[in-house]
Amino acid sequence: MSRLNNMSNRFFQPSQLRENWTATISDHVIDLAWSPDGRYIAAASVLGPVTIFEGSRRSVIHAFEGHEFGTMSIAWRPDSKVLASAGQDGKIRLWDMASGEVAHSLDGGAEWVEHLSWSGGEEPILASAAGRKLKLWNTVGDLVREYPDHQSTISGLQWKPRVMQLASIAYGGVTLWDPQQSEAVRRMEWQGSSLVIAWSPDGKHIATGDQDSTVHFWIMSTGEDLQMSGYPTKVRELSWDATSRYLATGGGWEVTVWDCSSPGPAGSRPITLSKHQEFLSVVRFQHHGKLLASGCAGGLVYVWQLRGRRSSLAIHETSLTAGVTSLVWSPNDQHIAVGDESGGVRVFSIT
């Protein structure tokens, strides 16, 4: 993998991120989610409890018991009125923000429910993955569809932007599903194990981060697939920018950003962002803007500004006392929330 050094940026000192508030939950923050309306931040502890904070300040709105043996993931319904959680008790729970109570408890179909994803639209659907089982649920907890078991454990789910089509990944490739059909609508095969999936915002590409230290890249119109290799470790961190041009990846201590505009990333030299000293744990573009945030196991957080095809600049930074586990942008892109290994939850302003 090519490494680029921007000499003109070496002496630029990024400014410190301005901390709005900080709080602590019971243990390691395994998942963090900002509600779509910006009012709440949900923080899930690896031990199980889920805490709902007011986004603008540290005030605790609800403290949910979460899941026995531990919570695995959380996901907001698009209207922000319900938070879904999944855990090691084999259950999916729908938590009502108005009452502060669990509205529905659903059977995921295996001992661990690892992944959740809400669709968009007026009648959103919740997809859940537990082992090899993929299920779809409506907003009141009714089972919409249960698909045939995958051939191996499902390692990721994501709905296609603005389209009612779901992608799942497991060993062997990507499978596309339509809620109106009982069988898969498309299969993109690859003999490897994928760990994370990311649709481009325009829906034209799917990227996966992989166990064998590669990134796989599918062009949806043709089915053509590409592979980017040379990463120091397995790739668990992926993020597209709002324009679908740039794909940011982890898989080591450098953030690698691929330009996916015509003619695509094949054979091109990526932008590399090299301030982290330990392996990355998260990379995340803004929802609508051009800034990119990254965090690592050493507790460093940087906010980057891409400056053209081959250069970049770290404009903000902060250092936490524990490794970064989660990072999410607020819906208006003005703040970031960061979770860490010790249970810390912090909100910073981007100014």
Side-chain angles (χ1 to χ4, degrees), residues 12 21 26 39 49 56 67 69 87 112-113 118 134 152 167 194 203 215 218 221 226-227 283 323:
F12 178 85
W21 58 263
S26 59
R39 293 181 61 190
S56 60
H67 296 265
F69 310 123
W112 288 19
V113 186
W118 284 101
L134 174 61
S152 59
S194 295
V215 171
W218 275 275
S221 61
L226 310 170
Q227 188 179 73
V283 296

Side-chain angles (χ1 to χ4, degrees), residues 152-196:
S152 59
T153 299
I154 301 167
S155 53
L157 296 173
Q158 190 182 16
W159 290 92
K160 185 176 182 179
R162 299 178 296 279
V163 176
M164 195 64 82
Q165 187 177 77
L166 179 70
S168 64
I169 52 172
Y171 183 89
V174 179
T175 307
L176 302 185
W177 309 89
D178 185 325
Q180 301 302 318
Q181 299 184 36
S182 59
E183 300 291 333
V185 298
R186 188 175 179 184
R187 174 82 174 161
M188 295 176 290
E189 295 186 354
W190 172 66
Q191 294 307 305
S193 181
S194 295
L195 304 173
V196 63

